[in-house]
Amino acid sequence: MKGLLEYLARQLVREPDAVKVEQFEEDDGTIVLELSVAEDDYGRVIGKGGRTANALRTVLKAAAVKRQRKVLVDIVD
C-alpha cells in the first residue's frame, strides 16, 4: 500500500524525491498512510476541488479491499 501511494504521488509531482509516505496501523487494523510532498506540489496532489486526492484515495481503497483491509490516506504538511 505504501509503495503504491508513493509511486502514484511521484508521478504527479515536480519534485519526486520530496515525496514521503509514513504508514501506521490502528488498533482495529486500519492502515493509515500519511503523504507529504514539497511545498509547491501540494496543489498537484490535491487537485482542483480535491479531485486528485479523492482519486488517490479511491485507488488505494480498491487495493485495500483486495487484501481485506481498510485504508485512510492523509495529506500532511
Side-chain angles (χ1 to χ4, degrees):
M1 301 283 225
K2 178 181 176 180
L4 176 61
L5 178 58
E6 206 169 288
Y7 172 78
L8 292 172
R10 286 179 189 266
Q11 301 306 309
L12 293 171
V13 299
R14 289 189 180 184
E15 295 181 45
D17 294 335
V19 172
K20 290 188 178 78
V21 179
E22 290 188 42
Q23 181 172 326
F24 305 100
E25 191 164 335
E26 292 185 347
D27 295 335
D28 64 351
T30 301
I31 297 171
V32 178
L33 298 171
E34 290 185 348
L35 172 66
S36 62
V37 296
E39 190 70 31
D40 295 338
D41 287 329
Y42 278 102
R44 290 177 168 277
V45 172
I46 294 170
K48 192 172 195 173
R51 287 184 181 174
T52 305
N54 287 335
L56 286 171
R57 289 182 179 111
T58 300
V59 170
L60 285 158
K61 283 181 184 180
V65 166
K66 200 171 187 180
R67 297 180 182 178
Q68 298 177 346
R69 302 292 296 268
K70 287 180 73 177
V71 67
L72 295 173
V73 177
D74 291 331
I75 300 171
V76 296
D77 298 346

